[in-house]
Amino acid sequence: MVYSESEIVHELEAGNEVCLNMLFDNYYRALCVYAFRFVPDADDVEDIVQEVFVSFWMNKKRTVFSGSVRSYLFGAVAKAASKFATRRGRIMFDDVEKYVDQFLEELVEYDESEFARLRDKVYARVEALPEKTKEIFKAVVLDNMTYQQVGDRFGITVNTVKTMYYRALKQLKEELGGNALVLFFIILR
């Protein structure tokens, strides 16, 4: 289920833990895809995004929140992922905040019809992937299965699942552009 920003802010200000589930449902996939711009490892990406959610909850609950939750989370993930990459000796961007601001400005420009057009375009590109790659991508993204579950389902190793999933992401990113792919994950319902 997808929740509105006002619903999320209401639960946040009330201190209700359901807010975390709402945040996860709305933003988890998109934030993970976005974090891949900074950190190449899926496990690290998931840890970073989960830490951002927890930090957001601990620091913002029962306070008046102003601004966009989506903007805040994307900015927080960019900063956390950049710090992580820097600690690992892998600096990806010199000016993360400028990059995040640019992305968020582009995000605001899309209306519902553009989101629908983009979703249809992405689904068409997913359908054009090689058959096995498409099945694995759909299992991970649309069915929300873990790499282990996908490996068990198709009788392949977790590393093979990760490799095929990353190849699909790379191909889609090349064909659609990085921002289009992130937007797809945001509007994925």
Side-chain angles (χ1 to χ4, degrees):
M1 176 173 227
V2 177
Y3 302 95
S4 71
E5 291 248 340
S6 61
E7 290 174 303
I8 293 171
V9 170
H10 175 71
E11 296 300 329
L12 177 68
E13 291 173 351
N16 294 333
E17 288 187 21
V18 72
C19 175
L20 282 173
N21 291 333
M22 296 167 86
L23 290 169
F24 187 90
D25 289 347
N26 274 24
Y27 303 113
Y28 182 76
R29 288 182 182 154
L31 290 169
C32 286
V33 170
Y34 185 64
F36 272 115
R37 293 176 173 219
F38 307 92
V39 178
D41 182 74
D43 293 332
D44 292 334
V45 162
E46 289 177 358
D47 289 344
I48 289 165
V49 172
Q50 289 167 11
E51 287 173 19
V52 166
F53 280 147
V54 171
S55 175
F56 178 78
W57 169 251
M58 298 306 291
N59 294 323
K60 302 296 182 189
K61 68 181 176 184
R62 291 191 169 86
T63 63
V64 175
F65 184 83
S66 61
S68 165
V69 172
R70 178 173 35 199
S71 296
Y72 179 89
L73 290 173
F74 274 92
V77 165
K79 289 175 186 173
S82 178
K83 279 185 179 180
F84 179 88
T86 301
R87 283 195 310 267
R88 294 279 173 102
R90 188 162 182 241
I91 299 172
M92 299 289 286
F93 298 98
D94 293 330
D95 191 358
V96 172
E97 290 168 3
K98 178 181 174 189
Y99 184 76
V100 171
D101 289 343
Q102 175 190 355
F103 173 76
L104 294 173
E105 284 174 16
E106 291 173 17
L107 186 64
V108 171
E109 295 173 8
Y110 285 84
D111 64 17
E112 286 301 315
S113 64
E114 287 176 292
F115 278 131
R117 184 186 56 74
L118 175 63
R119 182 187 59 235
D120 293 344
K121 182 178 178 180
V122 173
Y123 278 126
R125 292 309 314 142
V126 168
E127 289 300 320
L129 290 170
E131 192 61 33
K132 191 73 159 183
T133 304
K134 175 177 64 175
E135 290 174 9
I136 289 170
F137 183 81
K138 284 181 168 183
V140 172
V141 175
L142 300 177
D143 299 337
N144 206 24
M145 295 173 69
T146 65
Y147 296 135
Q148 185 64 55
Q149 291 170 328
V150 175
D152 292 345
R153 179 188 210 177
F154 292 104
I156 56 178
T157 67
V158 169
N159 284 337
T160 302
V161 172
K162 287 181 180 181
T163 299
M164 293 181 81
Y165 175 68
Y166 292 132
R167 284 182 185 162
L169 279 178
K170 182 180 179 189
Q171 182 176 342
L172 291 171
K173 183 178 176 183
E174 288 171 358
E175 293 172 359
L176 299 166
N179 287 351
L181 193 56
V182 173
L183 288 171
F184 166 69
F185 279 94
I186 290 170
I187 61 175
L188 186 65
R189 301 213 190 327

